[in-house]
Structure formats: C-alpha cells, structure tokens
Amino acid sequence: MLYLDLTVTGLMTGVFYALMAIGLTLIFGILRVVNFAHGEFYMVGAYTYTLLSTALGVPVWLTLPAAVLVGAALGWVTERTLMRPLYAGYSSWGLMKDEYAIIVTFGLSLLLINLVDKVIGPYPYRGPELIDTARVHLGPVIADGHRLMATGLGVAVIAGVFAFMRFTVAGKQVQAVAQNRLGASLAGIDPGRVSAAVFAASGGLAAFAGGLLAPIINASPDVGVFTAVKSYVVVVLGGMGSVAGAVVAGLFLGVAESFGAVFISYGYRDTFGLVILILVLMFRPQGLFGEKGRSV
C-alpha cells in the first residue's frame, strides 16, 4: 500500500517536471542553448491564472488557457526581440552565440523577477483549485482532487506534444530544423519561424504548468527559480534535446524524490535529483536518451 501510494504520488509530481522540461528541451533541440528565463515563464503563468481568477473573477477554465496564451506570447516576443538578433547577425544560417544567449536569458530572468516584485509585490498568492473535490479514491490510493485533475491535464498536453511532433507537418519541420538547420533551410523550411514557434510553445507549456500548480505552490516573484532548477536537472538526465528523455526523466525524478523523502529524509528531498544527476554525468554524460555526438 505504501509503495503504491509513493509511486502514484511520485508519478503525479513527475508529470509536472516533464511538462516544464519539454519546453527547455525543445529550445535546446532547435537553438542549442539553455533558456535561463524558463522559470519566469512558469511564474508568469502562475500569476496570470491566479490574478485573473481571484482579482477579476474569471472562471478557472478560462484563466488556464489565458495563462498559456500569455506565456506563449512572452516566449514569442523573447525570441523575436532578444534571441533572434543574437544569431541572425552572427551567421546566415542562424548559429547561436552561446555565451550571449546565456547572458540575455539570465538578464531577462532577473528583469521579470524584479518587475513582478515591484508591480505586484513580494507576497505569495494562492490560485483557486480546478475542482472542489478534496479527495479522490483511486482504489487503495487517495489523491488530492486538484492535483489529480492537474495531472490528467498535464498528461493530455504531453501526449498532444508527442502527437504533434510525430504526425503533423509542422512537427516534422521542427525535427528537421533540430537535426540540420542548413538542410532544413535548403528544403524550404524557415528556421526563424520554427524557432519563434518553439519559443512560444515553450513559454506556453511553462505557463500552463505554472497555472496548474498555482493552487499548490503559491505564485511569488521567485517561484520559478527553484522550478527551473528541477527542469534543468530533468533535461540533462533525459538527454539534451530529447523530448522522450525529458518525460522519462521527469517521471523517474518524481518517483525517486517520493521514495527518498520517506525512506531517507524529507529534508533531503530536493537533493536527490542532484545526486542522481551527478551519477548520470559520471557514467553516461549524454543522459538517458541523449547522443554522444552530433553529425551535420
């Protein structure tokens, strides 16, 4: 009973880790950079969901899509205004200057944190739950109603991402640009448009996770910092650029933390992922699903 309960709890947590990490993975797969403002996209989604619901009285089933749209818009604007000038001027085929991208996204992270702190305030805000049901019985396991609903929505979105990448023309264009930017350009695919779309999708996914978790992890200016750290761990564990790896690693990390908190110590719960990351980097640096090298 205990093992089943811990497994279910860990898998539910892992879904949110995977949801956050997929956006980072897509960006790395296309641009080969890490977005250090990814956690702030999460934070913006959490605030959008919470403030629209509590301050304006908008129904939660409308505020959640609104959070996604705001996060996607922020991602699109970020790519168009901050990221694109960095690589468009560097090479005709859009090769990114890694060090500049790190500085820009880190600066954007600090800007958004301090802007929200000054405009909205440093105090945390708790978002409304999606459903009023406090407890749901899943056989011998008892789950929180909102967490269960949020997990179901997260699984549906993750499945939608896989279906999009596998079965749609746009998804295959994303894969083509990730594999070979120059080759995709010669085939008639616009890498700039794909990059903007991926940044928008990444922002939307992070904001969606922020909205789902707003009733569990209160919205605050720095709420995305720790969440982003977990996302980076998941991305590296799964393999940089691997969407499937991000999902598997997210679920694995959630279960590992769930068991470790009970059988080792809850106080070290957030360090288990770092320990696992160190072990993976020692014995399999490319991650669970990553490649050792990239051929062009």
Side-chain angles (χ1 to χ4, degrees), residues 31 86-98 181 294:
L31 301 178
L86 295 179
Y87 59 81
Y90 180 62
S91 168
S92 60
W93 301 115
L95 298 178
M96 175 68 73
K97 288 184 175 180
D98 295 348
R181 199 176 185 94
R294 184 186 180 204

Side-chain angles (χ1 to χ4, degrees), residues 30-230:
I30 296 296
L31 301 178
R32 298 292 163 180
V33 295
V34 177
N35 176 20
F36 281 93
H38 192 67
E40 282 54 64
F41 293 168
Y42 170 95
M43 178 262 292
V44 168
Y47 268 109
T48 301
Y49 174 86
T50 301
L51 295 181
L52 286 179
S53 301
T54 58
L56 301 180
V58 179
V60 292
W61 294 106
L62 294 178
T63 56
L64 197 56
V68 175
L69 291 176
V70 171
L74 179 60
W76 185 84
V77 171
T78 298
E79 196 280 336
R80 294 288 295 184
T81 60
L82 299 179
M83 306 298 288
R84 181 165 298 192
L86 295 179
Y87 59 81
Y90 180 62
S91 168
S92 60
W93 301 115
L95 298 178
M96 175 68 73
K97 288 184 175 180
D98 295 348
E99 64 277 16
Y100 290 172
I102 292 173
I103 294 173
V104 167
T105 56
F106 185 71
L108 177 62
S109 171
L110 296 179
L111 172 64
L112 292 175
I113 291 174
N114 286 279
L115 181 63
V116 171
D117 181 74
K118 297 300 181 183
V119 175
I120 301 178
Y123 306 105
Y125 290 83
R126 185 176 185 273
E129 297 183 350
L130 292 172
I131 58 175
D132 296 329
T133 305
R135 293 289 184 269
V136 177
H137 291 267
L138 300 175
V141 178
I142 300 177
D144 176 78
H146 170 82
R147 186 182 290 268
L148 182 61
M149 176 64 71
T151 301
L153 292 175
V155 170
V157 169
I158 291 174
V161 171
F162 274 98
F164 172 81
M165 296 292 289
R166 183 176 179 83
F167 299 113
T168 68
V169 174
K172 295 191 181 298
Q173 290 179 346
V174 171
Q175 296 180 57
V177 175
Q179 287 291 324
N180 192 317
R181 199 176 185 94
L182 172 59
S185 299
L186 296 176
I189 301 173
D190 184 356
R193 185 178 64 181
V194 172
S195 298
V198 167
F199 242 95
S202 176
L205 288 171
F208 182 66
L212 291 178
L213 290 178
I216 302 173
I217 305 176
N218 296 345
S220 62
D222 60 350
V223 70
V225 174
F226 186 72
T227 307
V229 171
K230 291 294 184 74

Side-chain angles (χ1 to χ4, degrees), residues 4-23:
L4 179 60
D5 185 65
L6 291 177
T7 301
V8 172
T9 301
L11 290 175
M12 293 172 69
T13 302
V15 168
F16 300 119
Y17 290 163
L19 196 61
M20 280 288 294
I22 286 176

